[in-house]
Amino acid sequence: MLFIYHFFYFVLCFSQERSFDIVGLADGDEIIDALKLGIPLIVLGLLIVYIPRWRKSDKENQDEKGSTIGCIGMVIIGIGFLILIPLWTWVETIVVTLVSVVFVLAIIFLIVSYVYDELKK
């Protein structure tokens, strides 16, 4: 129960604007352009991160503490995800709508079940 209260107050810290209110919903062309740039960057970043690991044996992987190449790969993956912001706004819109519908249906179900139980008595 405490977790719910902390989560509720954490959510209230932020403004009530959604990201699509700020950024706006992109049309199909903008999303296609973002996908054309973002997905290859993410794949390239994953390849940069993991190809050096595949070439080495297990013993060499255990000895290595960090890698500049791996850091560069992670930065490229981050850039790829940032380029996909128009797609993320649509995903947020869909998720918020679905959560709202489920919440309203749950409230309706609770009210109907309460009324049904009261009428049965």
Side-chain angles (χ1 to χ4, degrees):
M1 197 68 172
L2 270 164
F3 174 73
I4 294 172
Y5 289 126
H6 289 293
F7 180 73
F8 180 71
Y9 290 120
F10 178 74
V11 170
L12 287 178
C13 299
F14 300 102
S15 68
Q16 297 298 323
E17 288 183 316
R18 302 270 184 219
S19 63
F20 57 83
D21 293 334
I22 298 167
V23 178
L25 289 175
D27 60 353
D29 294 333
E30 291 176 15
I31 291 177
I32 295 295
D33 292 340
L35 286 172
K36 285 180 185 176
L37 278 172
I39 298 295
L41 278 177
I42 292 171
V43 170
L44 178 67
L46 288 172
L47 289 175
I48 289 173
V49 168
Y50 287 111
I51 282 181
R53 290 188 172 270
W54 292 334
R55 290 185 181 171
K56 297 178 181 179
S57 66
D58 290 334
K59 179 71 173 156
E60 291 174 346
N61 279 339
Q62 292 174 354
D63 293 339
E64 186 177 343
K65 298 292 183 200
S67 166
T68 305
I69 301 262
C71 181
I72 292 170
M74 293 302 289
V75 168
I76 291 174
I77 291 171
I79 291 170
F81 278 113
L82 285 176
I83 289 175
L84 292 176
I85 284 179
L87 179 66
W88 299 130
T89 57
W90 273 102
V91 170
E92 179 195 11
T93 304
I94 292 168
V95 168
V96 166
T97 303
L98 289 176
V99 167
S100 300
V101 167
V102 167
F103 185 71
V104 168
L105 288 176
I107 290 174
I108 291 171
F109 175 75
L110 289 173
I111 292 171
V112 168
S113 64
Y114 176 75
V115 169
Y116 179 74
D117 287 341
E118 289 297 320
L119 290 176
K120 249 185 147 177
K121 288 182 183 179

